[in-house]
Amino acid sequence: MASHRKSRPTGTRVAGIRTPALATAALTSVALLSQSANAAPEADDKPSLEEVEKKVDDLYRQAESATDKYNAAKEKTAKQRKRVDTLLDDVAERAQKLNEAREELGSFASAQYRTGAAAPDTATFLLADTPQDYFDQTQLMDRMTGRQKVAVDDYVTQQSETMKKRQEATESLETLTDSQDGLRTAKATVQRKLAAARELMSKLTAEEKARLAAIEKEKRAEAARKADELARQQAAQQQKAQDEAAQQQDSGSSSSGSSGSGSSSSTAPADSSYATKADKALAFARAQIGKPYVWGAVGPGSYDCSGLTQAAWKAAGVTLPRTTYDQVNAGTTVPLSQAQPGDLVFFYDDVTHVGIYIGNGMMIHAPKPGTYVREESIFYDGESAIHSVVRPA
């Protein structure tokens, strides 16, 4: 760092003013320093290509996280809407019964009015033509009063239950409104993130886009190298397991063959069953290659990441939850080195992405908006991005 001590000017001074030559030089230096100071922030304000790439990737990840929240809100809204519809149907049915009870009460009231009031008395006896008529009228009115009491009780019960169901329907409608608000919020968040990512990419020059493509190519080459390495490790482990199984079989056949064969039959069916289901799931996933990623989509024309894995395993007869952070708990976690075709590979600490493993370090997944369902190395975003591997069946 230069010293703050000012050096004495070499030129002559007249009345405290430097000579014109030195004054001009000083003014030039000030102008250059001023230009440098003004230019520096502009250079600092412009992010590097690597920073732009990281920012875009972060925005896509945030959009994917928001997509999962959107999916969860959408699922909750659908369930709540179904509950509201059921409650409203129940309320309508109870209202019909309430109207029928009200009509029955009205008919009893009319009958009472026609027969002339309530309980039989001396006047009723005097108006009767014969004592037998009196007793007949008394029995009729007693029966009518009893049926009326039943009708009143039924009416009160129906009214109480109808009010209760109406209250439940009102509360469910309020919950549905909240769910719809959450759905709109999540959708708006996704759209904001995607718009910001597109805006960043649109500002890149042709040269910067070419450099970005070169960086992406290097990343894919590194991901492919890691995938090959994992495939070799898995092949070695599989060969080792086969050798150990063969040794155990040889050992068992020489000493207790029946015990060895029993042990083999206890593990093979489970593996075979999983492989059969996994084959169906993978066949479905492969058939979707080339279809676009669309957030919130579950097929058949487009998918998001968890929508693809859910649909693939549904084709194999296995029901998975809708979102990644629910799917990660829908099975058995296994080490990456023991991943088998059909397993689900989850990414990032917040579990916001998933693909279906096809073997040899590769997977089929719906990557992000603007892309298509494709095969890709599970190391596409680096080994540290892998969160876990889950066997769903």
Side-chain angles (χ1 to χ4, degrees):
M1 180 179 290
S3 171
H4 290 285
R5 181 177 298 174
K6 297 180 180 178
S7 59
R8 188 179 298 275
T10 56
T12 58
R13 292 176 64 90
V14 179
I17 301 177
R18 296 180 186 177
T19 58
L22 291 174
T24 301
L27 289 172
T28 302
S29 299
V30 170
L32 289 173
L33 287 171
S34 177
Q35 290 176 1
S36 299
N38 291 333
E42 292 180 4
D44 292 340
D45 285 345
K46 186 175 181 180
S48 68
L49 195 59
E50 288 75 10
E51 289 172 335
V52 170
E53 184 191 31
K54 184 178 184 303
K55 180 65 174 175
V56 170
D57 286 344
D58 286 345
L59 284 168
Y60 277 131
R61 278 194 55 206
Q62 290 172 32
E64 202 161 31
S65 176
T67 297
D68 257 352
K69 292 177 182 177
Y70 169 84
N71 290 337
K74 187 176 181 180
E75 193 173 38
K76 180 181 178 182
T77 300
K79 289 179 179 178
Q80 199 62 36
R81 190 185 305 278
K82 186 175 180 180
R83 172 171 169 76
V84 167
D85 290 343
T86 301
L87 283 170
L88 290 176
D89 288 343
D90 196 5
V91 167
E93 184 179 347
R94 290 183 181 280
Q96 178 63 29
K97 291 181 179 179
L98 191 61
N99 289 334
E100 292 173 358
R102 187 183 292 114
E103 290 174 1
E104 189 173 2
L105 279 177
S107 64
F108 281 130
S110 298
Q112 276 193 336
Y113 178 78
R114 286 193 303 270
T115 55
D121 51 14
T122 306
T124 305
F125 177 77
L126 292 175
L127 290 173
D129 293 335
T130 64
Q132 185 62 45
D133 289 340
Y134 168 79
F135 288 116
D136 291 342
Q137 290 179 18
T138 300
Q139 290 177 357
L140 175 63
M141 293 181 69
D142 285 344
R143 288 197 300 272
M144 185 178 293
T145 302
R147 289 177 60 193
Q148 186 173 6
K149 287 180 180 179
V150 172
V152 169
D153 291 342
D154 186 55
Y155 176 79
V156 171
T157 301
Q158 290 290 344
Q159 189 176 38
S160 175
E161 291 179 353
T162 302
M163 292 295 293
K164 182 180 178 181
K165 287 296 181 181
R166 280 178 179 168
Q167 180 64 30
E168 288 182 20
T170 300
E171 292 173 356
S172 293
L173 279 169
E174 291 173 355
T175 304
L176 177 60
T177 301
D178 292 341
S179 297
Q180 289 173 329
D181 290 342
L183 192 63
R184 284 190 288 269
T185 301
K187 182 177 181 179
T189 301
V190 174
Q191 292 173 330
R192 274 200 314 273
K193 301 298 182 184
L194 296 181
R198 285 193 294 266
E199 184 181 2
L200 272 175
M201 292 300 292
S202 68
K203 292 180 179 178
L204 296 180
T205 64
E207 182 182 353
E208 288 173 329
K209 288 180 180 178
R211 280 186 56 205
L212 197 60
I215 293 173
E216 184 68 19
K217 186 177 180 180
E218 290 179 5
K219 287 174 63 176
R220 288 184 180 179
E222 176 63 15
R225 186 190 66 78
K226 287 184 175 293
D228 289 341
E229 182 180 344
L230 177 62
R232 287 193 296 271
Q233 291 176 356
Q234 289 179 332
Q237 285 185 348
Q238 186 176 7
Q239 185 61 48
K240 182 180 179 182
Q242 289 175 349
D243 293 343
E244 290 177 350
Q247 289 177 359
Q248 288 178 357
Q249 187 174 5
D250 292 341
S251 172
S253 60
S254 61
S255 57
S256 56
S258 61
S259 174
S261 61
S263 174
S264 175
S265 63
S266 66
T267 57
D271 293 341
S272 176
S273 173
Y274 179 76
T276 300
K277 293 177 182 177
D279 286 344
K280 291 180 181 178
L282 288 172
F284 179 92
R286 286 193 177 94
Q288 313 314 307
I289 291 176
K291 294 183 179 180
Y293 176 106
V294 174
W295 58 270
V298 294
S302 57
Y303 297 89
D304 63 15
C305 66
S306 56
L308 175 64
T309 52
Q310 183 188 47
W313 271 102
K314 183 179 180 180
V318 177
T319 301
L320 293 180
R322 177 65 184 91
T323 63
T324 54
Y325 43 79
D326 286 330
Q327 287 184 7
V328 75
N329 296 316
T332 304
T333 302
V334 297
L336 177 60
S337 61
Q338 296 178 19
Q340 294 181 13
D343 291 350
L344 301 181
V345 186
F346 294 89
F347 297 86
Y348 312 116
D349 292 339
D350 52 357
V351 197
T352 53
H353 188 66
V354 62
I356 184 167
Y357 191 62
I358 60 176
N360 297 325
M362 301 293 288
M363 67 177 172
I364 298 173
H365 70 147
K368 60 186 177 182
T371 62
Y372 298 84
V373 176
R374 66 192 184 201
E375 289 187 10
E376 193 162 24
S377 167
I378 62 173
F379 301 101
Y380 78 105
D381 204 18
E383 188 171 0
S384 61
I386 298 175
H387 176 274
S388 59
V389 179
V390 172
R391 191 158 297 156

